[in-house]
Amino acid sequence: MCGIIGYIGDKQAAPILLDGLEKLEYRGYDSAGLSLLDDGKINTIKTKGKILNLRRRVDLDYSGDSCIGIGHTRWATHGKPSDINSHPHSSFDGKFSVVHNGIIENFVTLRQDLKNEGIRFRSETDTEVVAQLLAKHYNGDIKQTIMKVLNIIEGAYSLGILCADYPDEIWAVRNASPLIIGLGEGENFLASDITAVLKHTKEIYQLNDGEFCCLKKNSVQVFAPDGTPIEKEKVTVDWNVEAAEKGGYKHFMLKEIMEEPDAIAKTISPRLTDDNEIVLDDFSLTKEKLENIKKIYILACGSAWHVGMVGKYVIEELTRIPVECDLASEFRYRNPVVDENTLAIVISQSGETADTLAALREAKSRGAKVLSIVNVVGSTIANESDDVIYTWAGPEIAVATTKAYSTQLTIVYLFALYAAKLMGKIDKKEYDEIIAAIRKLPEQVAEVLKMEQDIKTIASRYVYLEHAYFIGRNLDYAVSLEASLKLKEISYIHSEAYAAGELKHGTISLIEDDTFVCALCCQERLFDKTMNSIKEVAARGAETLAVITENCPNPGEECDHIITIPSTHPLIMPSLEVIPLQLLSYYIALSRKCDIHKPRNLAKSVTVE
Ligand code: AGP
């Protein structure tokens, strides 16, 4: 939540910062601002609303040509979105300007203490205490001052700091909130993530918690929390600039849906040899270690948790190890039964989700081995895991995840098969069948995507929906969870997912004339069972849409609409059935004129609790 950026070099900073903020806008978009250092004076321009508003304000109010500055795009936590609460925040003497992503947990006490000393606060934010503390403790030595303030503040923060006395330096701090340093030729950057600086450099430093650094135009010096200089290793990111651009699509979400065949192919092909072996690089889970695992916890949030729900069925089916799929935000605050015979599988696109990271640490502290499935290379979750399997989905910008979800699914299949084979739990015939199905996925997903226009037509019927129910059994239920979230998060339609068999235990009382029920009937052996549920809701007036496979019998008049997709191995079906449902959500939201790129109240990366 919130995106921060900084630039120092020979070019004009404002356009670079604005451009970078646009790339970070998915992290928060209720207000934005810049601070630029001109002739020893900090100019701050900030405003409520999107980056476009800030661009206009910069055009009107700023005539300088500063080559050093910091910027911020906000997802409000402390204080409503307003011009005053927008970042950057300045100190009482105008010497310091600060951008912040995270939460300063002890800000209430700190703020009160500073107020008691006569310091006047302008905003309601937690961030302003950092700027005021810097000014209060400033002794002419910026490094010492920053270290002093870092010892006072508590919580999660990545910070960008400008000091008027240091016109050739930006200082950056990372503690439990993402931050990368982009390394250019005669210019350097700080940013919440790589997409903001990809246009300028692919070389980065990943800072660890507690580390801070000084950026000059020709150098970056990183320090350990105790102030000792440290040598960092450069990481080269292989994402290309186009991957982070809309490339002619109206929304990143549609672009990313269309990229799914390619993303799946990139994720699976390097891991499959010609003779059907699965290769997982640097993987420490040997046959012996896997055989000692008595329980698997899958820990994740949101859509990544929905992947975990698929994982529960698939991993249990293939390996016969019991799997519990837990919401990271719940797991972290209960007393889970975890020991050294537990494997925690942590799933996260960003690798920075605060609850997921906390759950990982909780599992690890109780002795579990951690395997993470992550998209962002070098992210905190990846760094803290014993093993990582990356989803090679490329940058995912849309708040509503699509290609990351799909690539996470494929890694779950590969892991389950790999473990099952190593443990001797699967016969060669079934193993080869599933591998063949996985190999065919990119082509089959592309085939489903050809139904885009039909799905758009179906979506046009549901523009005025108020409520939607997604039902299914077994893996179809796991996919229903994702279909329902996809619809609600971008179209604001109230939507729920139910295991089809659960409907008559209460929820069926909500079904009346024209209630929309989408039934997922892609587990062919359970087709008749789910059809019974369709009949039950249809008899009570529901408008029904069924997603079936080409092998299912035609449900005839029982359903108002039918989407027929290709068939594959039942364990792999989620990868095909989710595609029309992603498109359906997209087109329903589009016809409702919702802001698909910036769904209200949401941000892509949830780095606060
Ligand atoms: C889904 O469309 C959401 N954007 C959200 O549920 C997301 O999957 C969740 O916040 C987890 O994010 P992560 O994968 O980056 O950890």
Side-chain angles (χ1 to χ4, degrees):
M1 336 281 290
C2 300
I4 69 174
I5 184 150
Y7 172 78
I8 182 162
D10 285 327
K11 299 177 192 140
Q12 282 205 26
I16 293 174
L17 295 174
L18 285 165
D19 182 68
L21 285 179
E22 266 159 9
K23 299 282 178 307
L24 293 174
E25 211 175 4
Y26 71 87
R27 302 179 69 90
Y29 29 80
D30 51 43
S31 51
L34 299 183
S35 280
L36 299 152
L37 235 166
D38 294 275
D39 303 324
K41 188 174 172 292
I42 297 175
N43 282 302
T44 296
I45 305 128
K46 53 189 194 171
T47 179
K48 186 180 164 187
K50 299 179 179 161
I51 309 295
L52 196 61
N53 296 6
L54 179 64
R55 265 192 193 283
R56 291 191 188 120
R57 288 290 293 271
V58 172
D59 284 347
L60 285 173
D61 299 346
Y62 181 70
S63 54
D65 54 4
S66 167
C67 300
I68 167 171
I70 52 177
H72 188 270
T73 180
R74 181 168 185 249
W75 188 86
T77 54
H78 294 69
K80 62 181 184 303
S82 69
D83 289 0
I84 295 284
N85 287 334
S86 311
H87 297 217
H89 290 285
S90 311
S91 56
F92 57 84
D93 56 1
K95 230 172 212 167
F96 289 91
S97 180
V98 175
V99 287
H100 166 217
N101 172 30
I103 292 179
I104 307 296
E105 278 163 8
N106 57 341
F107 93 100
V108 176
T109 329
L110 293 173
R111 187 181 164 100
Q112 196 50 54
D113 292 349
L114 290 163
K115 275 183 166 177
N116 293 345
E117 291 171 31
I119 293 175
R120 274 192 54 226
F121 277 76
R122 295 181 203 99
S123 76
E124 301 159 85
T125 65
D126 52 337
T127 306
E128 194 179 344
V129 297
V130 181
Q132 306 295 19
L133 283 169
L134 286 165
K136 179 187 157 182
H137 293 285
Y138 184 53
N139 60 0
D141 180 330
I142 186 162
K143 184 182 163 196
Q144 266 184 19
T145 308
I146 289 175
M147 284 176 66
K148 174 131 205 191
V149 172
L150 296 184
N151 276 327
I152 299 172
I153 58 175
E154 289 166 13
Y157 46 83
S158 53
L159 301 167
I161 302 167
L162 277 186
C163 175
D165 288 353
Y166 289 81
D168 303 319
E169 296 178 5
I170 304 178
W171 286 76
V173 184
R174 181 201 162 127
N175 190 50
S177 278
L179 188 71
I180 58 110
I181 304 301
L183 307 163
E185 292 283 321
E187 57 184 6
N188 289 304
F189 307 80
L190 66 91
S192 295
D193 80 35
I194 181 73
T195 55
V197 299
L198 209 49
K199 206 167 157 179
H200 310 279
T201 181
K202 290 184 179 179
E203 306 229 293
I204 61 163
Y205 284 156
Q206 280 281 354
L207 298 190
N208 294 325
D209 284 352
E211 291 176 351
F212 64 105
C213 68
C214 171
L215 285 82
K216 298 187 183 179
K217 94 179 174 184
N218 289 312
S219 67
V220 174
Q221 178 63 68
V222 182
F223 300 97
D226 65 0
T228 320
I230 45 177
E231 286 299 317
K232 279 296 230 195
E233 214 171 290
K234 274 185 198 170
V235 177
T236 306
V237 182
D238 72 350
W239 290 356
N240 59 33
V241 182
E242 296 73 42
E245 305 285 343
K246 273 198 284 215
Y249 285 94
K250 193 164 180 184
H251 297 103
F252 276 110
M253 182 178 176
L254 186 59
K255 176 183 180 241
E256 288 162 6
I257 292 174
M258 293 303 163
E259 284 172 349
E260 286 182 86
D262 199 38
I264 292 172
K266 282 196 178 119
T267 301
I268 57 176
S269 48
R271 274 129 183 174
L272 289 177
T273 67
D274 290 346
D275 46 4
N276 278 358
E277 289 301 319
I278 298 169
V279 187
L280 302 174
D281 290 330
D282 298 326
F283 203 64
S284 70
L285 287 171
T286 56
K287 177 176 179 345
E288 198 193 348
K289 284 187 186 161
L290 281 166
E291 278 167 353
N292 283 334
I293 292 170
K294 299 283 172 280
K295 173 145 194 187
I296 295 177
Y297 274 105
I298 303 184
L299 307 172
C301 299
S303 295
W305 180 72
H306 298 156
V307 171
M309 288 297 284
V310 173
K312 176 180 164 60
Y313 288 94
V314 175
I315 298 169
E316 279 187 347
E317 175 73 30
L318 294 177
T319 67
R320 306 314 296 154
I321 302 173
V323 180
E324 203 171 318
C325 180
D326 226 333
L327 290 164
S329 54
E330 287 296 314
F331 180 88
R332 64 181 292 189
Y333 291 122
R334 64 189 183 84
N335 189 4
V337 185
V338 174
D339 59 23
E340 55 289 350
N341 295 323
T342 306
L343 174 68
I345 301 183
V346 173
I347 308 178
S348 174
Q349 186 283 130
S350 61
E352 302 291 351
T353 301
D355 283 323
T356 311
L357 181 58
L360 177 160
R361 289 175 176 161
E362 184 64 40
K364 222 174 166 181
S365 72
R366 290 168 184 254
K369 283 264 156 297
V370 177
L371 159 64
S372 64
I373 299 174
V374 173
N375 194 39
V376 179
V377 175
S379 53
T380 313
I381 289 176
N383 286 345
E384 295 197 12
S385 302
D386 299 302
D387 287 296
V388 187
I389 311 180
Y390 285 107
T391 48
W392 298 119
E396 189 181 65
I397 312 287
V399 172
T401 181
T402 53
K403 63 175 179 172
Y405 172 90
S406 286
T407 50
Q408 286 162 354
L409 284 183
T410 60
I411 295 293
V412 164
Y413 309 145
L414 290 179
F415 166 74
L417 276 173
Y418 178 88
K421 182 159 186 262
L422 218 54
M423 295 161 70
K425 294 279 173 66
I426 187 167
D427 64 43
K428 184 161 172 13
K429 185 170 168 288
E430 192 182 10
Y431 176 87
D432 285 345
E433 252 173 52
I434 304 179
I435 295 278
I438 294 174
R439 283 191 198 279
K440 230 178 138 192
L441 266 181
E443 181 193 321
Q444 287 187 304
V445 169
E447 206 180 319
V448 180
L449 287 172
K450 287 191 192 139
M451 298 165 68
E452 183 187 1
Q453 285 313 314
D454 299 336
I455 290 163
K456 192 172 171 181
T457 310
I458 295 176
S460 65
R461 287 192 59 99
Y462 302 127
V463 182
Y464 300 108
L465 276 189
E466 282 179 25
H467 306 282
Y469 297 92
F470 289 82
I471 61 170
R473 285 168 190 264
N474 193 270
L475 281 162
D476 286 334
Y477 165 57
V479 180
S480 299
L481 292 163
E482 175 60 7
S484 169
L485 177 67
K486 212 82 306 166
L487 183 69
K488 79 174 81 157
E489 69 180 330
I490 54 168
S491 70
Y492 318 140
I493 293 168
H494 164 240
S495 169
E496 292 185 46
Y498 279 94
E502 267 297 294
L503 264 187
K504 51 184 169 302
H505 296 287
T507 309
I508 201 161
S509 65
L510 294 173
I511 307 293
E512 53 186 1
D513 278 350
D514 299 330
T515 307
F516 173 68
V517 179
C518 175
L520 278 64
C521 318
C522 297
Q523 290 300 307
E524 290 161 11
R525 73 190 164 96
L526 297 170
F527 176 82
D528 291 341
K529 298 273 172 209
T530 309
M531 273 311 295
N532 286 341
S533 305
I534 295 183
K535 285 180 192 155
E536 284 163 11
V537 294
R540 287 156 180 87
E543 163 134 5
T544 56
L545 166 67
V547 182
I548 64 171
T549 76
E550 61 200 357
N551 295 339
C552 295
N554 187 335
E557 288 176 3
E558 299 295 350
C559 298
D560 297 296
H561 296 282
I562 298 165
I563 295 174
T564 308
I565 58 171
S567 186
T568 182
H569 189 283
L571 294 179
I572 310 301
M573 262 328 291
S575 291
L576 297 182
E577 63 192 292
V578 76
I579 305 292
L581 299 164
Q582 292 171 343
L583 284 169
L584 187 75
S585 299
Y586 173 79
Y587 279 111
I588 292 178
L590 191 69
S591 5
R592 288 164 72 91
K593 303 204 177 358
C594 297
D595 189 345
I596 294 172
H597 191 40
K598 301 183 183 71
R600 76 179 172 216
N601 306 336
L602 292 179
K604 176 79 178 158
S605 191
V606 187
T607 52
V608 293
E609 195 181 338

